[in-house]
Amino acid sequence: MQVENRLAIVTGGGSGLGAATARALAAKGAKVAVFDRDAEKGQALADDIGGLLCACDVADPGGAEAAIETATAAFGPPAVLVNCAGIGTAGRVVGREGPMPLENFERVIRVNLVGTFNMIRLVAARMSLAEPDAGNARGVIVSTASVAAFEGQIGQAAYAASKGGIAALTLPVARELARFGIRVLTVAPGLFKTPLLEELPEETQAALGAAIPFPARLGDPGEFAGLVLAMIDNDYLNGETVRLDGALRMQPK
C-alpha cells in the first residue's frame, strides 16, 4: 500500500519505536498523526516531521475517538495505524509483600492490550468507509507485541499476558477485516535501544546486547520502523506476527 499523502496514525509516537516509525512514515510522504500522552515529546516530534500531535490515552474510548476525529479532519481518512503505545511494569505474582496487587495487572492489560484493541476498532471503522485503492485495499494496521508474548520471564506475567493478547488478536481481526480490504499485522520486537533501556548503565546495555545471537547488540528503533514500512508495502502479508529479535530466545530470568 502506498502511504504518500495519506493519514498514518502512530500511537506512542513521541519516543522510542513509535517516534522512529513516525519519522519513517513521514519520510515516505505520509501525513502523520502522533498519538501520545506526553504532549511535550509528542509535539516536538510532530513539529520536526511536519505532523500533527493528538494527545490522548489510547485506552480511553472517548479520548481516542476525539483524537481520531481531529486527525481525520486534518488529513482525511486513515490508511495506516501503527500501535506502539505501551508500558512495561514488572512484578512477581507472589512477592515479598504478598500477591501482586490486582490493579497493577489490570493497568498493564488496560494500556497495552485494551489500548491496542480500542485503537484497532475505532480506526478500522473509519478505514472501512474509505474508498479502496486499485488493489481494493483500504488500510493496514500494525501492532506491537514482544518476544515476551512467547517467552515471558519471571516478573513479566502482566506484560507477557498483554503482549500475548496482542499477538492472539492478529489473525482473527485480520480475518474479520479482510472483507474491507484492511490488513492486520503485528511485530514482536526483542531488546531494542529505547528510552527505557537507555536509562540502564552502559555495561548493562552491553551485557544485554551480548546475549543476542546475531547481531549481538540491542536493536535500533530504525530497524523496527523499517520492518513496519516493509509490512505496509507488501500487500500479500496479512494476519502474521513477525519476530524482530536477532534470534533471541528469552531465559526464565
Side-chain angles (χ1 to χ4, degrees), residues 60-121:
D60 173 53
E65 179 66 49
I68 294 167
E69 176 62 35
T70 298
T72 301
F75 295 141
V80 173
L81 166 65
V82 184
N83 287 306
C84 291
I87 59 174
T89 306
R92 290 177 178 257
V93 177
V94 180
R96 293 177 181 175
E97 304 299 320
M100 175 191 291
L102 187 57
E103 58 268 24
N104 291 3
F105 184 88
E106 290 176 328
R107 179 170 178 264
V108 176
I109 297 296
R110 177 171 174 76
V111 174
N112 294 357
L113 180 54
V114 175
T116 293
F117 179 75
N118 188 41
M119 289 299 300
I120 288 174
R121 73 183 185 93

Short mmCIF file of all heavy atoms in Angstrom, two decimals, residues 60-121:
data_model
loop_
_atom_site.label_atom_id
_atom_site.label_comp_id
_atom_site.label_asym_id
_atom_site.label_seq_id
_atom_site.Cartn_x
_atom_site.Cartn_y
_atom_site.Cartn_z
N ASP A 60 -8.76 5.10 26.44
CA ASP A 60 -9.97 5.85 26.76
C ASP A 60 -10.83 5.97 25.51
O ASP A 60 -10.41 6.62 24.54
CB ASP A 60 -9.61 7.23 27.29
CG ASP A 60 -10.83 8.10 27.48
OD1 ASP A 60 -11.77 7.67 28.17
OD2 ASP A 60 -10.86 9.22 26.93
N PRO A 61 -12.02 5.36 25.48
CA PRO A 61 -12.83 5.37 24.25
C PRO A 61 -13.13 6.76 23.72
O PRO A 61 -12.95 7.03 22.53
CB PRO A 61 -14.11 4.63 24.66
CG PRO A 61 -13.70 3.79 25.83
CD PRO A 61 -12.64 4.58 26.56
N GLY A 62 -13.59 7.65 24.62
CA GLY A 62 -13.94 9.00 24.18
C GLY A 62 -12.74 9.80 23.74
O GLY A 62 -12.78 10.50 22.71
N GLY A 63 -11.66 9.72 24.51
CA GLY A 63 -10.46 10.48 24.17
C GLY A 63 -9.84 10.02 22.86
O GLY A 63 -9.41 10.83 22.03
N ALA A 64 -9.80 8.71 22.66
CA ALA A 64 -9.23 8.18 21.42
C ALA A 64 -10.10 8.55 20.22
O ALA A 64 -9.58 8.92 19.16
CB ALA A 64 -9.08 6.66 21.52
N GLU A 65 -11.41 8.47 20.39
CA GLU A 65 -12.33 8.83 19.29
C GLU A 65 -12.16 10.30 18.91
O GLU A 65 -12.13 10.64 17.72
CB GLU A 65 -13.77 8.57 19.71
CG GLU A 65 -14.82 8.93 18.68
CD GLU A 65 -14.74 8.08 17.42
OE1 GLU A 65 -14.68 6.84 17.52
OE2 GLU A 65 -14.71 8.67 16.32
N ALA A 66 -12.03 11.16 19.92
CA ALA A 66 -11.85 12.59 19.64
C ALA A 66 -10.53 12.85 18.92
O ALA A 66 -10.46 13.68 18.00
CB ALA A 66 -11.91 13.38 20.95
N ALA A 67 -9.48 12.13 19.33
CA ALA A 67 -8.17 12.31 18.69
C ALA A 67 -8.21 11.84 17.23
O ALA A 67 -7.64 12.48 16.35
CB ALA A 67 -7.11 11.54 19.47
N ILE A 68 -8.89 10.74 16.98
CA ILE A 68 -9.01 10.23 15.60
C ILE A 68 -9.81 11.21 14.75
O ILE A 68 -9.48 11.45 13.58
CB ILE A 68 -9.67 8.84 15.59
CG1 ILE A 68 -8.75 7.82 16.28
CG2 ILE A 68 -9.99 8.39 14.17
CD1 ILE A 68 -9.42 6.50 16.60
N GLU A 69 -10.84 11.81 15.32
CA GLU A 69 -11.65 12.80 14.61
C GLU A 69 -10.79 14.01 14.24
O GLU A 69 -10.88 14.53 13.11
CB GLU A 69 -12.82 13.25 15.48
CG GLU A 69 -13.68 14.35 14.87
CD GLU A 69 -14.34 13.94 13.57
OE1 GLU A 69 -14.72 12.77 13.43
OE2 GLU A 69 -14.46 14.81 12.68
N THR A 70 -9.92 14.44 15.16
CA THR A 70 -9.03 15.57 14.89
C THR A 70 -8.08 15.24 13.75
O THR A 70 -7.88 16.05 12.83
CB THR A 70 -8.23 15.93 16.16
OG1 THR A 70 -9.13 16.33 17.19
CG2 THR A 70 -7.25 17.06 15.88
N ALA A 71 -7.48 14.05 13.80
CA ALA A 71 -6.54 13.65 12.76
C ALA A 71 -7.23 13.52 11.40
O ALA A 71 -6.69 13.94 10.37
CB ALA A 71 -5.88 12.33 13.14
N THR A 72 -8.42 12.96 11.40
CA THR A 72 -9.17 12.76 10.15
C THR A 72 -9.60 14.09 9.54
O THR A 72 -9.55 14.27 8.32
CB THR A 72 -10.40 11.88 10.41
OG1 THR A 72 -9.97 10.62 10.93
CG2 THR A 72 -11.19 11.64 9.14
N ALA A 73 -10.00 15.01 10.40
CA ALA A 73 -10.41 16.33 9.90
C ALA A 73 -9.23 17.05 9.25
O ALA A 73 -9.40 17.79 8.28
CB ALA A 73 -10.96 17.17 11.06
N ALA A 74 -8.03 16.80 9.76
CA ALA A 74 -6.84 17.48 9.24
C ALA A 74 -6.30 16.81 7.98
O ALA A 74 -5.88 17.49 7.03
CB ALA A 74 -5.75 17.53 10.31
N PHE A 75 -6.30 15.48 7.95
CA PHE A 75 -5.57 14.76 6.90
C PHE A 75 -6.40 13.76 6.09
O PHE A 75 -5.88 13.08 5.21
CB PHE A 75 -4.40 14.00 7.52
CG PHE A 75 -3.33 14.88 8.13
CD1 PHE A 75 -2.71 14.51 9.31
CD2 PHE A 75 -2.95 16.05 7.50
CE1 PHE A 75 -1.71 15.31 9.86
CE2 PHE A 75 -1.95 16.86 8.05
CZ PHE A 75 -1.33 16.48 9.23
N GLY A 76 -7.69 13.64 6.38
CA GLY A 76 -8.51 12.68 5.66
C GLY A 76 -8.56 11.33 6.35
O GLY A 76 -8.00 11.15 7.43
N PRO A 77 -9.23 10.34 5.75
CA PRO A 77 -9.41 9.05 6.41
C PRO A 77 -8.08 8.32 6.62
O PRO A 77 -7.17 8.44 5.79
CB PRO A 77 -10.32 8.28 5.43
CG PRO A 77 -10.10 8.95 4.12
CD PRO A 77 -9.86 10.39 4.42
N PRO A 78 -7.96 7.56 7.70
CA PRO A 78 -6.70 6.87 7.98
C PRO A 78 -6.47 5.71 7.02
O PRO A 78 -7.38 4.96 6.69
CB PRO A 78 -6.88 6.36 9.41
CG PRO A 78 -8.37 6.25 9.58
CD PRO A 78 -8.96 7.35 8.76
N ALA A 79 -5.21 5.58 6.57
CA ALA A 79 -4.81 4.45 5.74
C ALA A 79 -3.89 3.51 6.52
O ALA A 79 -3.77 2.35 6.17
CB ALA A 79 -4.09 4.94 4.49
N VAL A 80 -3.25 4.05 7.55
CA VAL A 80 -2.30 3.26 8.34
C VAL A 80 -2.50 3.56 9.82
O VAL A 80 -2.70 4.71 10.22
CB VAL A 80 -0.84 3.60 7.96
CG1 VAL A 80 0.15 2.92 8.90
CG2 VAL A 80 -0.55 3.21 6.52
N LEU A 81 -2.46 2.50 10.63
CA LEU A 81 -2.41 2.62 12.09
C LEU A 81 -1.25 1.77 12.57
O LEU A 81 -1.17 0.59 12.25
CB LEU A 81 -3.71 2.13 12.74
CG LEU A 81 -3.65 1.91 14.26
CD1 LEU A 81 -3.42 3.23 15.00
CD2 LEU A 81 -4.92 1.21 14.77
N VAL A 82 -0.36 2.38 13.35
CA VAL A 82 0.73 1.64 13.98
C VAL A 82 0.60 1.82 15.49
O VAL A 82 0.72 2.94 16.01
CB VAL A 82 2.12 2.10 13.51
CG1 VAL A 82 3.21 1.22 14.12
CG2 VAL A 82 2.21 2.07 11.99
N ASN A 83 0.33 0.73 16.19
CA ASN A 83 0.17 0.77 17.64
C ASN A 83 1.49 0.50 18.34
O ASN A 83 1.97 -0.63 18.36
CB ASN A 83 -0.84 -0.31 18.08
CG ASN A 83 -2.27 0.03 17.72
OD1 ASN A 83 -2.76 1.11 18.06
ND2 ASN A 83 -2.94 -0.87 17.03
N CYS A 84 2.09 1.56 18.91
CA CYS A 84 3.34 1.43 19.65
C CYS A 84 3.18 1.81 21.12
O CYS A 84 4.11 1.59 21.91
CB CYS A 84 4.43 2.28 19.04
SG CYS A 84 5.00 1.73 17.42
N ALA A 85 2.05 2.39 21.50
CA ALA A 85 1.87 2.82 22.90
C ALA A 85 1.86 1.61 23.83
O ALA A 85 1.22 0.60 23.53
CB ALA A 85 0.56 3.60 23.03
N GLY A 86 2.56 1.72 24.94
CA GLY A 86 2.57 0.62 25.90
C GLY A 86 3.44 0.93 27.10
O GLY A 86 4.23 1.88 27.09
N ILE A 87 3.29 0.13 28.14
CA ILE A 87 4.10 0.26 29.34
C ILE A 87 4.70 -1.10 29.68
O ILE A 87 4.22 -2.14 29.21
CB ILE A 87 3.28 0.79 30.54
CG1 ILE A 87 2.10 -0.13 30.84
CG2 ILE A 87 2.81 2.21 30.28
CD1 ILE A 87 1.33 0.27 32.09
N GLY A 88 5.76 -1.10 30.50
CA GLY A 88 6.46 -2.35 30.78
C GLY A 88 6.66 -2.63 32.25
O GLY A 88 7.75 -3.04 32.66
N THR A 89 5.67 -2.37 33.07
CA THR A 89 5.78 -2.59 34.51
C THR A 89 6.06 -4.06 34.83
O THR A 89 5.43 -4.95 34.29
CB THR A 89 4.48 -2.16 35.21
OG1 THR A 89 4.18 -0.82 34.85
CG2 THR A 89 4.64 -2.25 36.72
N ALA A 90 7.04 -4.29 35.71
CA ALA A 90 7.39 -5.65 36.13
C ALA A 90 6.92 -5.91 37.56
O ALA A 90 6.78 -4.98 38.37
CB ALA A 90 8.90 -5.87 36.04
N GLY A 91 6.65 -7.16 37.88
CA GLY A 91 6.24 -7.52 39.24
C GLY A 91 5.93 -9.00 39.32
O GLY A 91 5.36 -9.58 38.40
N ARG A 92 6.33 -9.61 40.42
CA ARG A 92 6.07 -11.03 40.62
C ARG A 92 4.62 -11.28 41.03
O ARG A 92 4.00 -10.44 41.68
CB ARG A 92 7.01 -11.60 41.68
CG ARG A 92 8.46 -11.69 41.22
CD ARG A 92 9.35 -12.19 42.35
NE ARG A 92 10.74 -12.31 41.89
CZ ARG A 92 11.33 -13.47 41.57
NH1 ARG A 92 10.65 -14.60 41.66
NH2 ARG A 92 12.59 -13.50 41.17
N VAL A 93 4.10 -12.43 40.65
CA VAL A 93 2.73 -12.81 41.03
C VAL A 93 2.62 -12.90 42.54
O VAL A 93 1.64 -12.44 43.15
CB VAL A 93 2.33 -14.15 40.37
CG1 VAL A 93 0.94 -14.58 40.81
CG2 VAL A 93 2.40 -14.04 38.86
N VAL A 94 3.64 -13.50 43.16
CA VAL A 94 3.73 -13.54 44.62
C VAL A 94 5.12 -13.06 45.00
O VAL A 94 6.12 -13.72 44.71
CB VAL A 94 3.50 -14.96 45.16
CG1 VAL A 94 3.61 -14.95 46.69
CG2 VAL A 94 2.15 -15.50 44.74
N GLY A 95 5.18 -11.89 45.61
CA GLY A 95 6.46 -11.31 46.00
C GLY A 95 6.62 -11.26 47.50
O GLY A 95 5.85 -11.86 48.26
N ARG A 96 7.61 -10.52 47.94
CA ARG A 96 7.88 -10.42 49.37
C ARG A 96 6.74 -9.75 50.14
O ARG A 96 6.57 -9.98 51.33
CB ARG A 96 9.18 -9.63 49.59
CG ARG A 96 10.42 -10.38 49.08
CD ARG A 96 11.67 -9.55 49.24
NE ARG A 96 12.85 -10.26 48.74
CZ ARG A 96 14.06 -9.74 48.67
NH1 ARG A 96 14.26 -8.47 49.05
NH2 ARG A 96 15.07 -10.46 48.21
N GLU A 97 6.00 -8.91 49.44
CA GLU A 97 4.88 -8.22 50.07
C GLU A 97 3.56 -8.97 49.91
O GLU A 97 2.50 -8.47 50.27
CB GLU A 97 4.73 -6.81 49.47
CG GLU A 97 5.98 -5.95 49.55
CD GLU A 97 6.41 -5.71 50.98
OE1 GLU A 97 5.52 -5.49 51.82
OE2 GLU A 97 7.63 -5.74 51.24
N GLY A 98 3.63 -10.18 49.34
CA GLY A 98 2.41 -10.96 49.13
C GLY A 98 2.03 -10.97 47.67
O GLY A 98 2.86 -10.72 46.79
N PRO A 99 0.75 -11.25 47.36
CA PRO A 99 0.33 -11.33 45.96
C PRO A 99 0.38 -9.97 45.26
O PRO A 99 0.19 -8.93 45.90
CB PRO A 99 -1.11 -11.85 46.05
CG PRO A 99 -1.58 -11.45 47.41
CD PRO A 99 -0.37 -11.53 48.29
N MET A 100 0.64 -10.02 43.97
CA MET A 100 0.65 -8.78 43.18
C MET A 100 -0.70 -8.07 43.31
O MET A 100 -1.76 -8.71 43.19
CB MET A 100 0.89 -9.11 41.70
CG MET A 100 0.79 -7.91 40.77
SD MET A 100 0.74 -8.37 39.01
CE MET A 100 2.41 -8.99 38.79
N PRO A 101 -0.71 -6.77 43.58
CA PRO A 101 -1.98 -6.04 43.61
C PRO A 101 -2.69 -6.18 42.26
O PRO A 101 -2.06 -6.00 41.21
CB PRO A 101 -1.54 -4.59 43.85
CG PRO A 101 -0.23 -4.70 44.56
CD PRO A 101 0.43 -5.90 43.93
N LEU A 102 -3.93 -6.54 42.28
CA LEU A 102 -4.66 -6.79 41.05
C LEU A 102 -4.66 -5.56 40.15
O LEU A 102 -4.61 -5.69 38.91
CB LEU A 102 -6.10 -7.22 41.36
CG LEU A 102 -6.93 -7.68 40.15
CD1 LEU A 102 -6.26 -8.83 39.42
CD2 LEU A 102 -8.33 -8.06 40.59
N GLU A 103 -4.69 -4.37 40.75
CA GLU A 103 -4.73 -3.16 39.94
C GLU A 103 -3.45 -2.99 39.11
O GLU A 103 -3.48 -2.37 38.05
CB GLU A 103 -4.98 -1.92 40.80
CG GLU A 103 -3.98 -1.67 41.91
CD GLU A 103 -4.40 -2.30 43.23
OE1 GLU A 103 -5.19 -3.27 43.21
OE2 GLU A 103 -3.94 -1.79 44.28
N ASN A 104 -2.34 -3.53 39.58
CA ASN A 104 -1.10 -3.46 38.80
C ASN A 104 -1.22 -4.28 37.51
O ASN A 104 -0.80 -3.85 36.44
CB ASN A 104 0.08 -3.97 39.62
CG ASN A 104 0.43 -3.05 40.78
OD1 ASN A 104 -0.24 -2.04 41.01
ND2 ASN A 104 1.48 -3.39 41.51
N PHE A 105 -1.79 -5.48 37.63
CA PHE A 105 -2.02 -6.32 36.46
C PHE A 105 -3.01 -5.66 35.52
O PHE A 105 -2.80 -5.60 34.31
CB PHE A 105 -2.54 -7.69 36.91
CG PHE A 105 -2.72 -8.68 35.79
CD1 PHE A 105 -1.67 -9.49 35.38
CD2 PHE A 105 -3.94 -8.80 35.14
CE1 PHE A 105 -1.83 -10.40 34.35
CE2 PHE A 105 -4.11 -9.71 34.12
CZ PHE A 105 -3.06 -10.52 33.71
N GLU A 106 -4.09 -5.14 36.08
CA GLU A 106 -5.14 -4.52 35.27
C GLU A 106 -4.62 -3.32 34.50
O GLU A 106 -5.01 -3.09 33.35
CB GLU A 106 -6.32 -4.11 36.15
CG GLU A 106 -7.12 -5.29 36.70
CD GLU A 106 -8.22 -4.86 37.64
OE1 GLU A 106 -8.03 -3.83 38.35
OE2 GLU A 106 -9.25 -5.54 37.69
N ARG A 107 -3.72 -2.55 35.10
CA ARG A 107 -3.20 -1.35 34.45
C ARG A 107 -2.40 -1.72 33.20
O ARG A 107 -2.55 -1.10 32.14
CB ARG A 107 -2.32 -0.55 35.41
CG ARG A 107 -1.71 0.71 34.79
CD ARG A 107 -1.07 1.59 35.84
NE ARG A 107 -0.44 2.76 35.22
CZ ARG A 107 0.85 2.83 34.90
NH1 ARG A 107 1.66 1.81 35.17
NH2 ARG A 107 1.35 3.91 34.35
N VAL A 108 -1.55 -2.73 33.30
CA VAL A 108 -0.75 -3.14 32.15
C VAL A 108 -1.65 -3.67 31.04
O VAL A 108 -1.47 -3.35 29.86
CB VAL A 108 0.30 -4.20 32.56
CG1 VAL A 108 1.06 -4.71 31.34
CG2 VAL A 108 1.27 -3.62 33.58
N ILE A 109 -2.63 -4.49 31.40
CA ILE A 109 -3.56 -5.02 30.41
C ILE A 109 -4.35 -3.88 29.76
O ILE A 109 -4.56 -3.87 28.54
CB ILE A 109 -4.53 -6.03 31.05
CG1 ILE A 109 -3.76 -7.25 31.59
CG2 ILE A 109 -5.61 -6.45 30.06
CD1 ILE A 109 -3.07 -8.07 30.52
N ARG A 110 -4.76 -2.92 30.55
CA ARG A 110 -5.56 -1.81 30.00
C ARG A 110 -4.76 -0.99 29.00
O ARG A 110 -5.25 -0.70 27.90
CB ARG A 110 -6.06 -0.91 31.14
CG ARG A 110 -6.82 0.30 30.63
CD ARG A 110 -7.51 1.08 31.73
NE ARG A 110 -8.11 2.30 31.23
CZ ARG A 110 -9.24 2.35 30.53
NH1 ARG A 110 -9.88 1.24 30.26
NH2 ARG A 110 -9.72 3.50 30.10
N VAL A 111 -3.55 -0.61 29.36
CA VAL A 111 -2.76 0.24 28.46
C VAL A 111 -2.34 -0.55 27.21
O VAL A 111 -2.56 -0.11 26.08
CB VAL A 111 -1.52 0.80 29.18
CG1 VAL A 111 -0.64 1.55 28.18
CG2 VAL A 111 -1.94 1.73 30.32
N ASN A 112 -1.74 -1.72 27.42
CA ASN A 112 -1.15 -2.45 26.30
C ASN A 112 -2.17 -3.16 25.42
O ASN A 112 -2.14 -3.03 24.19
CB ASN A 112 -0.13 -3.46 26.81
CG ASN A 112 1.08 -2.80 27.46
OD1 ASN A 112 1.20 -1.58 27.48
ND2 ASN A 112 1.96 -3.60 28.02
N LEU A 113 -3.04 -3.93 26.04
CA LEU A 113 -3.97 -4.76 25.26
C LEU A 113 -5.27 -4.03 24.95
O LEU A 113 -5.68 -3.95 23.79
CB LEU A 113 -4.26 -6.06 26.01
CG LEU A 113 -5.21 -7.05 25.34
CD1 LEU A 113 -4.75 -7.39 23.93
CD2 LEU A 113 -5.35 -8.30 26.19
N VAL A 114 -5.93 -3.48 25.98
CA VAL A 114 -7.18 -2.77 25.73
C VAL A 114 -6.93 -1.53 24.87
O VAL A 114 -7.70 -1.23 23.95
CB VAL A 114 -7.86 -2.39 27.06
CG1 VAL A 114 -9.10 -1.54 26.81
CG2 VAL A 114 -8.22 -3.63 27.85
N GLY A 115 -5.82 -0.82 25.13
CA GLY A 115 -5.49 0.36 24.33
C GLY A 115 -5.28 0.01 22.87
O GLY A 115 -5.75 0.72 21.97
N THR A 116 -4.58 -1.10 22.61
CA THR A 116 -4.36 -1.54 21.23
C THR A 116 -5.68 -1.90 20.56
O THR A 116 -5.96 -1.48 19.43
CB THR A 116 -3.40 -2.74 21.21
OG1 THR A 116 -2.10 -2.31 21.64
CG2 THR A 116 -3.29 -3.34 19.81
N PHE A 117 -6.51 -2.68 21.24
CA PHE A 117 -7.79 -3.07 20.65
C PHE A 117 -8.70 -1.86 20.44
O PHE A 117 -9.40 -1.77 19.42
CB PHE A 117 -8.50 -4.09 21.54
CG PHE A 117 -9.84 -4.51 20.98
CD1 PHE A 117 -9.91 -5.37 19.90
CD2 PHE A 117 -11.02 -4.01 21.50
CE1 PHE A 117 -11.14 -5.74 19.35
CE2 PHE A 117 -12.26 -4.36 20.97
CZ PHE A 117 -12.31 -5.23 19.90
N ASN A 118 -8.69 -0.93 21.38
CA ASN A 118 -9.52 0.27 21.25
C ASN A 118 -9.16 1.04 19.99
O ASN A 118 -10.04 1.45 19.22
CB ASN A 118 -9.34 1.16 22.48
CG ASN A 118 -10.33 2.32 22.51
OD1 ASN A 118 -11.50 2.17 22.19
ND2 ASN A 118 -9.84 3.49 22.90
N MET A 119 -7.86 1.21 19.74
CA MET A 119 -7.44 1.92 18.54
C MET A 119 -7.78 1.13 17.28
O MET A 119 -8.20 1.70 16.26
CB MET A 119 -5.94 2.21 18.61
CG MET A 119 -5.56 3.28 19.62
SD MET A 119 -6.30 4.90 19.31
CE MET A 119 -5.67 5.26 17.68
N ILE A 120 -7.59 -0.19 17.33
CA ILE A 120 -7.92 -1.01 16.16
C ILE A 120 -9.39 -0.86 15.79
O ILE A 120 -9.74 -0.63 14.63
CB ILE A 120 -7.58 -2.49 16.42
CG1 ILE A 120 -6.07 -2.71 16.44
CG2 ILE A 120 -8.23 -3.39 15.35
CD1 ILE A 120 -5.66 -4.12 16.84
N ARG A 121 -10.28 -1.00 16.77
CA ARG A 121 -11.70 -0.97 16.45
C ARG A 121 -12.14 0.40 15.93
O ARG A 121 -12.93 0.49 14.97
CB ARG A 121 -12.53 -1.37 17.68
CG ARG A 121 -12.58 -0.32 18.77
CD ARG A 121 -13.34 -0.75 20.02
NE ARG A 121 -13.45 0.37 20.96
CZ ARG A 121 -14.48 1.21 20.99
NH1 ARG A 121 -15.51 1.05 20.18
NH2 ARG A 121 -14.50 2.21 21.85
#
